[in-house]
């Protein structure tokens, strides 16, 4: 029986066109508006909204604080991301086999990821407090004497504190993704490798890693992007201090936009970040072979 063709062959496109238009409107309009603002002199403290050309973008290259904040962002990312990956992988291996109470333990381990980062940062600020927080007391029990460490003020301690919070909250994310990836690895392949005399590392290197690499790459990409825009935990813990020592690019952008009220310059910073991330993500996707 011949199928009855609809009289309008473009009917399906008409059906989805409102949704596509809405997505484009919501997604693209703010970007286009911000791009226009970045070429103007818009400030919430002044009435001058004239065209500025590339003034804001030229200013970016002379802003030492901006590049310093980018350096802080990269520093946190290159330290926290590998640690989260390795810890998540180790935890995934630990929970790969059936353990008593496995489901309950997994549920408890992922609890930090469902907490808002700003709440997590505020909680850790209290835990690190040198007067009321338990961290110094616990370290003092092992040290045998009181430890008056200023975790959120001391330049030598503030980065370890931030990175520890970040690892605490987001390692379970890596754990969940890698546990799912490891669970789908064909056990017969690893068992065959063991029978052939391959030890754990060789079995992981040549059998397990190729199988989980695509999923691991996506997890690294997602967490890398998330770390690049880290804001909440730092704002709750240090607000970018002491001084500007822990000011990341997101914190600096917030300060320019909502404390200095430099709307056009803030838009220029945002597009600098977008350009950098586009280049990095494109390179990473090609390097990881995710575009194949």
């Amino acid at each position: 029986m011949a199928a009855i063709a609809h009289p309008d062959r473009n009917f399906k496109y008409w059906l989805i066109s409102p949704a596509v238009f809405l997505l484009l409107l919501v997604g693209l309009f703010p970007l286009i508006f911000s791009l226009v603002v970045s070429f103007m002199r818009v400030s919430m403290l002044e009435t001058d909204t004239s065209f500025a050309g590339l003034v804001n973008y030229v200013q970016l290259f002379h802003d030492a604080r901006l590049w310093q904040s980018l350096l802080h962002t990269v520093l946190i990312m290159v330290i926290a991301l590998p640690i989260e990956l390795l810890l998540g992988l180790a935890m995934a291996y630990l929970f790969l086999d059936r353990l008593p109470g496995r489901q309950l333990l997994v549920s408890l381990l992922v609890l930090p990821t469902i907490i808002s980062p700003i709440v997590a940062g505020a909680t850790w600020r209290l835990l690190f407090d040198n007067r009321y927080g338990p961290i110094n007391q616990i370290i003092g029990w092992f040290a045998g004497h009181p430890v008056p460490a200023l975790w959120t003020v001391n330049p030598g301690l503030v980065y370890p504190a931030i990175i520890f919070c970040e690892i605490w909250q987001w390692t379970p994310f890596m754990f969940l993704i890698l546990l799912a990836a490891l669970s789908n690895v064909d056990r017969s392949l690893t068992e065959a490798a063991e029978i052939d005399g391959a030890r754990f590392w060789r079995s992981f290197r040549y059998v397990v890693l190729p199988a989980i690499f695509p999923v691991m790459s996506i997890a690294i990409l997602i967490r890398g992007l998330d770390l690049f825009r880290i804001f909440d935990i730092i704002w709750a813990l240090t607000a970018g201090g002491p001084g500007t020592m822990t000011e990341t690019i997101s914190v600096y952008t917030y300060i320019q936009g909502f404390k200095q009220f430099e709307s056009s310059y803030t838009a220029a910073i945002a597009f600098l970040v977008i350009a950098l991330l586009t280049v990095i993500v494109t390179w990473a996707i090609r390097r990881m072979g995710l575009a194949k």
Side-chain angles (χ1 to χ4, degrees):
M1 183 178 175
I4 299 175
H6 197 279
D8 187 354
R9 297 178 61 183
N10 297 323
F11 183 68
K12 57 186 177 183
Y13 299 114
W14 286 111
L15 282 177
I16 64 171
S17 59
V20 172
F21 175 74
L22 187 63
L23 286 173
L24 289 175
L25 184 67
V26 173
L28 290 181
F29 177 73
L31 282 176
I32 295 171
F33 181 76
S34 300
L35 184 62
V36 172
V37 169
S38 71
F39 290 102
M40 299 172 70
R41 290 189 177 87
V42 178
S43 171
M44 294 184 186
L45 299 177
E46 299 177 4
T47 56
D48 181 14
T49 56
S50 59
F51 181 69
L54 294 174
V55 169
N56 292 314
Y57 288 94
V58 172
Q59 188 182 340
L60 293 176
F61 293 96
H62 301 285
D63 189 347
R65 190 171 163 183
L66 167 72
W67 299 107
Q68 193 181 45
S69 66
L70 265 176
L71 183 64
H72 298 159
T73 307
V74 173
L75 179 66
I76 293 172
M77 191 169 67
V78 298
I79 295 176
L81 187 57
I83 297 175
E84 289 177 14
L85 177 65
L86 293 176
L87 283 178
L89 187 60
M91 290 165 60
Y93 255 106
L94 184 65
F95 281 84
L96 190 58
D97 295 323
R98 294 289 174 185
L99 296 172
R102 180 176 180 262
Q103 291 184 342
L104 177 63
L105 288 172
V106 170
S107 301
L108 291 174
L109 280 172
V110 300
L111 278 180
T113 60
I114 63 175
I115 299 173
S116 167
I118 194 75
V119 175
T123 303
W124 278 101
R125 186 182 178 90
L126 289 174
L127 291 170
F128 282 129
D129 191 277
N130 66 315
R131 292 169 298 174
Y132 315 111
I135 301 293
N136 282 350
Q137 291 185 11
I138 293 171
I139 296 174
W141 292 341
F142 289 100
H145 56 81
V147 177
L150 302 172
W151 290 95
T152 58
V153 178
N154 189 325
L157 298 175
V158 68
Y159 270 100
I162 290 171
I163 291 169
F164 183 84
C165 294
E166 194 60 28
I167 291 169
W168 170 81
Q169 184 165 32
W170 293 110
T171 295
F173 172 80
M174 285 287 196
F175 158 65
L176 274 183
I177 291 183
L178 294 173
L179 180 61
L182 285 174
S183 300
N184 287 321
V185 175
D186 191 347
R187 290 293 185 94
S188 63
L189 295 176
T190 55
E191 289 170 359
E194 290 173 2
I195 291 171
D196 289 340
R199 294 188 177 182
F200 173 79
W201 171 245
R202 289 183 65 84
S203 174
F204 175 79
R205 169 70 179 83
Y206 295 105
V207 178
V208 178
L209 186 59
I212 67 172
F213 186 74
V215 177
M216 185 190 288
S217 301
I218 292 172
I220 292 171
L221 199 60
I222 293 173
R223 278 303 300 143
L225 289 171
D226 210 27
L227 278 163
F228 198 88
R229 60 184 181 86
I230 181 172
F231 174 82
D232 314 62
I233 283 181
I234 290 180
W235 192 254
L237 269 179
T238 66
T244 59
M245 190 175 176
T246 58
E247 212 171 63
T248 59
I249 188 64
S250 295
V251 173
Y252 183 61
T253 307
Y254 173 81
I255 290 172
Q256 286 296 318
F258 295 97
K259 287 187 174 292
Q260 305 295 331
F261 303 113
E262 297 291 345
S263 302
S264 289
Y265 189 55
T266 305
I269 296 174
F271 275 93
L272 172 69
V273 172
I274 289 172
L276 287 175
L277 286 181
T278 302
V279 172
I280 294 170
V281 169
T282 303
W283 174 82
I285 287 175
R286 287 183 179 176
R287 188 75 179 173
M288 294 173 178
L290 295 177
K292 294 178 182 176

